[in-house]
Amino acid sequence: MQHKTQLTLSFLLSQVLLLACAEDLECVPGFQQKVFYIEKPFEFREDRLILNLKFDDCQGNNKLNFEVSNPDFRVELDGNLVALKNVSEVGRALFVHARSEHAEDMAEIFILEANEKRGALKEILKLEGNLGIPRQKRAILATPILIPENQRPPFPRLVGKVIRSEGTEGVKFRLSGKGVDQDPKGIFRINEMNGDVSVTRTLDREAIASYELKVEVVDMNGKTLDGPVRLDVLVIDQNDNRPMFKEGPYIGHVMEGSATGTTVMSMAAFDADDAGTDNALLRYNILRQTPTKPSPNMFYIDPEKGDIVTVVSPALLDRETMESPKYELVIEAKDMGGMDVGLTGTATATILIDDKNDHAPEFTKKEFQATVKEGVTGVIVNLTVGDRDDPTTGAWRAVYSIINGNPGQSFEIHTNPQTNEGMLSVVKPLDYEISAFHTLLIKVENEDPLIPDITYGPSSTATVQITVEDVNEGPVFHPNPMAVTKQENIPVGSVVLTVNATDPDTLQHQTIRYSVYKDPAGWLEINPTNGTVGTTAVLDRESPFVHNNVYTALFLAIDSGNPPATGTGTLHITLEDVNDNVPSLYPTLAKVCDDAKDLRVVVLGASDKDLHPNTDPFKFELSKQSGPEKLWRINRLNNTHAQVILLQNLKKANYNIPISVTDSGKPPLTNTTELRLQVCTCKKSKMDCSASDALHISLTLILLSLLSLFCL
């Protein structure tokens, strides 16, 4: 029934073509029908007629030969298309190429699914533009031209013909479009007189799959008489492109022990040929596996999808027993559905067997020994373990912990990242006198958890026996640093304090002697036997060796060991201030013009090295002035400053003014300082004091002279 339907459909289409071309009796070389639609049967049966293709080169069909795009089919010399064997899958289309001594052409056979049959004939009759079937009344017949790609010379080669139903006398055919007068130019041309269409060069479907040309008929003056009408040129695919793997490198991972059938990775090749034909229908295959152990067929590739899966049992997929955890597969992709005539391309797929944590780390021995001197820190022993897992993963990297014997947190253990060993360290100095032996229990685990059916066993713990060696330790001062407060200026020979140092080596019964280590000012001494510290000089708070009222000295305590050990003690003496420094006055020189209008000569300040309350407020006083009139006075400005004021202009001279300053200490201290006052000549903002330097008039001399005159 299906075969009958196919023949009926083809027959009707043939009648349509005959009716459409009835007005044109001129022979057109090539297939008399170029496009066929048939319903896909359940199976194409061997040697059973599918349809008949009519080819005529208009010169007797000498040396006629047919080629079919699918090697499962052939066209006999009478044009009958038959299957060479029972075929169920052929794709969506077949292409038949016919070649004789004088012509060649291409026919296309579309295979319709059952649900497409109902409207097939209607669409064929309706869409004559797509099939190149002209209406009876049309003046120009331009059927589609099908040209195989990669044709060999000679060129130009006749590929089709445009027919004018009203004859060709006195007219010319004109061809235009992409491939003629548009880039790429010059591929096609038409015989102006008879409408023969030729191709001038080899075509590449992968570059351009089709051309849409325009053909028209013009008179000898170039005026359009008919058209333009569309002329389609379809480039028929040839299997001229090998499959290519473009997305490499291809690397897949699979966990060891994975179940059979586990998908590892997927391979995909690309074929530039027509995806609707067998030319791009790819099938995949594994050509070679390296290494070949434990099985030469560890993996399988789905020939259609390209998925690579495991095919061995989980027991064989054991990373630790493999020759190598890396497999390389040479994958072949072949077009034409994998048939022998197909073109091939290859790529290498690298598959890495990933490790899972199926082996617990184990100590190389149950007990480790270590010896350390008391008072020393650092690594004391390296604990070694073995692990069969991948050294680059957390399934191999070890994590150590101390699970017993470390109550004082004196020990720590860390992993050596290069060797995976456990580095056991002392982080708090050990004391032989407290404990000469320590026993630690160490546990080792992996960074990654073990798989569910694997557990940590007894070999994942070990004991470390640590022996502490006694050393002669230096005496220790109590307290350290030591602090005491004393007044400065205490009598020489005064006792500052008695230091106390003890020897940690209580089992050795050693004696201790003391000595001065650092005494910057040389003020102190120490009794070597009992540690009493005394003064050898006056303690001065204002000394440059005292910082922030604190004097610092260092002392040594030396035991009687062999060799002797030394301990250092620090003494801070806080010095209390006493009023032992007189105040000082500044500045001691002032200048004034002899015609000055502002007689405020200078502001004086006072300072004191002592501390409050032995400093300000200061009291400023002038020595008593005698004579008919007073020359100056002093006014207190604040606790630390006063101002000297002239009571009248003085002649150019030098004057020495005695000024006394008294601090607020108990008892107070007074200092008298002479202020040297220069009275100078001032002209045009320049001060000349040269003459005054030679006068040397002293207030004291003036007072004495006045007193002598008064006595006379």
Side-chain angles (χ1 to χ4, degrees):
M1 182 64 181
Q2 292 175 343
H3 180 63
K4 183 177 181 181
T5 302
Q6 296 163 9
L7 292 177
T8 300
L9 188 60
S10 299
F11 174 77
L12 289 173
L13 183 58
S14 300
Q15 295 304 306
V16 172
L17 291 169
L18 290 174
L19 289 171
C21 302
E23 296 181 5
D24 187 359
L25 301 178
E26 184 179 355
C27 179
V28 178
F31 283 104
Q32 303 306 299
Q33 179 181 337
K34 298 182 184 295
V35 181
F36 297 84
Y37 288 84
I38 63 173
E39 181 186 349
K40 179 183 177 182
F42 174 76
E43 186 177 57
F44 290 99
R45 303 299 299 274
E46 182 178 356
D47 291 331
R48 180 173 293 182
L49 176 64
I50 299 173
L51 56 82
N52 183 263
L53 299 98
K54 297 295 184 181
F55 179 87
D56 189 354
D57 67 358
C58 303
Q59 298 188 42
N61 285 347
N62 290 331
K63 298 182 181 180
L64 177 61
N65 179 51
F66 294 96
E67 295 178 350
V68 185
S69 61
N70 191 318
D72 292 335
F73 298 85
R74 73 179 178 189
V75 177
E76 298 173 341
L77 290 178
D78 58 1
N80 289 337
L81 175 66
V82 298
L84 297 177
K85 61 180 181 180
N86 294 339
V87 181
S88 57
E89 292 292 336
V90 297
R92 296 284 293 171
L94 294 174
F95 300 97
V96 179
H97 181 223
R99 176 183 293 172
S100 72
E101 190 175 36
H102 300 287
E104 64 176 305
D105 201 359
M106 183 74 71
E108 188 171 8
I109 304 164
F110 290 100
I111 302 171
L112 305 176
E113 298 289 344
N115 57 3
E116 298 177 290
K117 182 190 73 172
R118 185 178 301 274
L121 181 59
K122 180 179 179 182
E123 293 299 315
I124 292 170
L125 295 173
K126 178 180 177 182
L127 303 176
E128 93 289 337
N130 292 334
L131 300 178
I133 303 173
R135 296 186 179 94
Q136 282 184 324
K137 300 296 183 179
R138 196 164 216 174
I140 300 176
L141 174 64
T143 59
I145 299 174
L146 284 73
I147 307 174
E149 65 173 335
N150 303 326
Q151 286 184 317
R152 295 185 297 273
F155 291 104
R157 182 188 293 267
L158 181 65
V159 293
K161 188 177 183 65
V162 177
I163 300 172
R164 185 172 186 259
S165 60
E166 298 178 2
T168 60
E169 185 176 352
V171 297
K172 294 191 295 185
F173 291 93
R174 179 181 294 168
L175 193 63
S176 62
K178 179 181 179 182
V180 182
D181 55 355
Q182 300 176 21
D183 289 333
K185 297 179 181 179
I187 296 178
F188 304 101
R189 66 189 184 192
I190 190 167
N191 187 306
E192 294 181 342
M193 306 309 295
N194 61 20
D196 287 344
V197 179
S198 302
V199 64
T200 64
R201 69 188 73 162
T202 300
L203 302 183
D204 183 359
R205 189 203 67 85
E206 287 71 44
I208 302 177
S210 64
Y211 298 84
E212 184 179 317
L213 308 180
K214 299 292 182 181
V215 62
E216 58 184 339
V217 176
V218 301
D219 62 18
M220 293 303 174
N221 296 321
K223 180 180 178 181
T224 301
L225 300 177
D226 297 310
V229 298
R230 175 174 163 179
L231 174 60
D232 288 324
V233 179
L234 305 178
V235 183
I236 304 304
D237 186 45
Q238 302 292 310
N239 192 19
D240 59 343
N241 288 278
R242 293 182 178 276
M244 296 179 61
F245 292 90
K246 292 185 174 182
E247 299 178 357
Y250 297 91
I251 301 175
H253 294 261
V254 63
M255 188 68 69
E256 65 171 328
S258 295
T260 303
T262 299
T263 299
V264 180
M265 60 188 298
S266 183
M267 302 288 289
F270 168 77
D271 196 311
D273 290 320
D274 189 350
T277 69
D278 287 351
N279 295 338
L281 182 60
L282 304 183
R283 293 294 182 263
Y284 299 93
N285 181 43
I286 298 176
L287 296 181
R288 184 171 62 255
Q289 170 191 302
T290 306
T292 58
K293 296 180 180 180
S295 169
N297 300 304
M298 299 284 289
F299 307 95
Y300 166 80
I301 187 168
D302 187 303
E304 296 184 7
K305 299 179 180 178
D307 294 337
I308 299 176
V309 299
T310 61
V311 293
V312 295
S313 66
L316 288 180
L317 209 61
D318 184 359
R319 187 184 179 283
E320 286 73 38
T321 61
M322 288 179 171
E323 177 182 325
S324 170
K326 181 174 77 172
Y327 287 84
E328 290 188 346
L329 308 179
V330 178
I331 307 297
E332 176 190 69
K334 181 182 288 187
D335 60 20
M336 297 300 294
M339 297 185 62
D340 291 342
V341 295
L343 302 178
T344 63
T346 60
T348 299
T350 301
I351 299 177
L352 303 175
I353 311 301
D354 291 337
D355 187 39
K356 62 181 179 181
N357 199 6
D358 54 351
H359 296 89
E362 297 180 347
F363 283 101
T364 57
K365 52 186 178 181
K366 289 299 296 179
E367 185 173 292
F368 295 84
Q369 304 288 334
T371 300
V372 59
K373 293 181 178 181
E374 65 172 333
V376 176
T377 59
V379 177
I380 58 173
V381 66
N382 291 312
L383 310 183
T384 54
V385 296
D387 195 317
R388 297 172 62 191
D389 291 314
D390 184 357
T392 64
T393 67
W396 178 82
R397 291 190 290 270
V399 178
Y400 298 88
S401 58
I402 303 172
I403 59 177
N404 196 13
N406 191 28
Q409 304 301 308
S410 299
F411 302 93
E412 286 183 0
I413 188 167
H414 300 281
T415 305
N416 186 317
Q418 280 73 43
T419 64
N420 215 32
E421 295 177 346
M423 302 182 295
L424 182 63
S425 303
V426 176
V427 293
K428 293 182 180 179
L430 303 177
D431 192 338
Y432 172 84
E433 285 71 31
I434 296 177
S435 177
F437 300 97
H438 296 268
T439 301
L440 304 181
L441 186 61
I442 310 295
K443 180 179 181 180
V444 63
E445 298 175 316
N446 286 132
E447 286 186 4
D448 293 347
L450 296 173
I451 61 175
D453 54 342
I454 302 295
T455 59
Y456 293 103
S459 297
S460 296
T461 58
T463 301
V464 181
Q465 299 289 349
I466 302 168
T467 301
V468 182
E469 295 181 344
D470 187 26
V471 297
N472 187 23
E473 301 171 84
V476 178
F477 284 86
H478 304 281
N480 194 18
M482 301 161 281
V484 66
T485 300
K486 295 292 181 180
Q487 273 194 348
E488 65 174 334
N489 301 334
I490 60 174
V492 174
S494 298
V495 174
V496 178
L497 85 166
T498 299
V499 301
N500 178 35
T502 60
D503 192 343
D505 301 307
T506 56
L507 302 179
Q508 298 184 23
H509 305 292
Q510 298 179 127
T511 59
I512 296 176
R513 294 182 62 82
Y514 301 96
S515 64
V516 176
Y517 179 42
K518 287 186 178 180
D519 178 18
W523 292 344
L524 304 174
E525 64 180 359
I526 189 169
N527 187 300
T529 303
N530 61 21
T532 299
V533 177
T535 63
T536 59
V538 174
L539 307 182
D540 183 6
R541 192 198 64 82
E542 291 76 33
S543 167
F545 298 106
V546 177
H547 303 284
N548 296 325
N549 304 322
V550 177
Y551 180 72
T552 300
L554 302 180
F555 297 93
L556 298 179
I558 306 168
D559 65 19
S560 57
N562 186 19
T566 301
T568 303
T570 301
L571 172 62
H572 297 307
I573 305 175
T574 301
L575 296 176
E576 295 179 340
D577 186 46
V578 297
N579 195 16
D580 58 347
N581 289 279
V582 297
S584 60
L585 189 71
Y586 62 90
T588 58
L589 174 65
K591 295 180 181 181
V592 65
C593 294
D594 56 2
D595 58 352
K597 295 180 180 180
D598 185 358
L599 300 180
R600 293 174 295 183
V601 177
V602 66
V603 175
L604 301 176
S607 62
D608 196 315
K609 293 182 180 180
D610 293 319
L611 298 178
H612 191 77
N614 296 322
T615 57
D616 60 272
F618 297 109
K619 181 180 179 182
F620 298 88
E621 293 179 299
L622 289 171
S623 297
K624 185 176 180 181
Q625 300 182 62
S626 302
E629 54 183 340
K630 295 183 178 180
L631 300 178
W632 37 68
R633 72 170 185 267
I634 189 167
N635 290 345
R636 182 174 177 272
L637 298 179
N638 53 36
N639 289 346
T640 57
H641 291 79
Q643 189 171 52
V644 176
I645 302 173
L646 287 179
L647 299 180
Q648 61 185 33
N649 289 107
L650 299 179
K651 293 181 179 181
K652 184 178 181 180
N654 284 342
Y655 301 87
N656 291 327
I657 307 172
I659 300 175
S660 61
V661 183
T662 304
D663 62 25
S664 297
K666 294 183 179 179
L669 297 179
T670 300
N671 178 30
T672 299
T673 302
E674 283 192 346
L675 172 64
R676 185 183 181 191
L677 177 62
Q678 290 183 332
V679 180
C680 308
T681 300
C682 298
K683 292 181 180 180
K684 296 182 180 180
S685 302
K686 292 184 178 181
M687 182 176 283
D688 180 13
C689 303
S690 57
S692 62
D693 291 338
L695 297 177
H696 301 291
I697 299 175
S698 171
L699 177 61
T700 304
L701 294 176
I702 294 174
L703 293 176
L704 291 175
S705 300
L706 292 174
L707 182 59
S708 300
L709 292 171
F710 181 77
C711 294
L712 292 174

